[in-house]
Amino acid sequence: MNRRKKIIKKLQKKDKKANAKIHKSNKPVYVSKAEREKLAEQANSEDQNTQPEDEQK
């Protein structure tokens, strides 16, 4: 009984790993607070650089 239980447990673990590999999470990748600030700062500087010269005067 004990040997059979170990074999079954091993196979179930293998199936669980295979199933987890198939169904990847759709969760977005974590972006740290500092990284978000850098991205926002870059976006703001790009927006200011792309404004027409008439609006800047």
Side-chain angles (χ1 to χ4, degrees), residues 9-33:
K9 200 171 187 181
K10 199 176 206 181
L11 293 173
Q12 286 175 342
K13 188 176 180 182
K14 187 177 179 183
D15 288 342
K16 188 176 178 182
K17 280 188 176 182
N19 194 34
K21 210 171 198 182
I22 292 171
H23 301 289
K24 299 267 183 181
S25 176
N26 291 334
K27 187 174 151 181
V29 179
Y30 177 74
V31 179
S32 68
K33 190 174 183 180

Side-chain angles (χ1 to χ4, degrees), residues 20-57:
K21 210 171 198 182
I22 292 171
H23 301 289
K24 299 267 183 181
S25 176
N26 291 334
K27 187 174 151 181
V29 179
Y30 177 74
V31 179
S32 68
K33 190 174 183 180
E35 191 67 31
R36 280 180 277 166
E37 288 177 4
K38 285 180 186 176
L39 292 172
E41 193 174 302
Q42 287 176 351
N44 286 339
S45 66
E46 287 177 8
D47 288 342
Q48 290 175 356
N49 290 339
T50 58
Q51 287 180 350
E53 293 178 11
D54 296 337
E55 291 182 14
Q56 292 179 353
K57 291 181 180 180

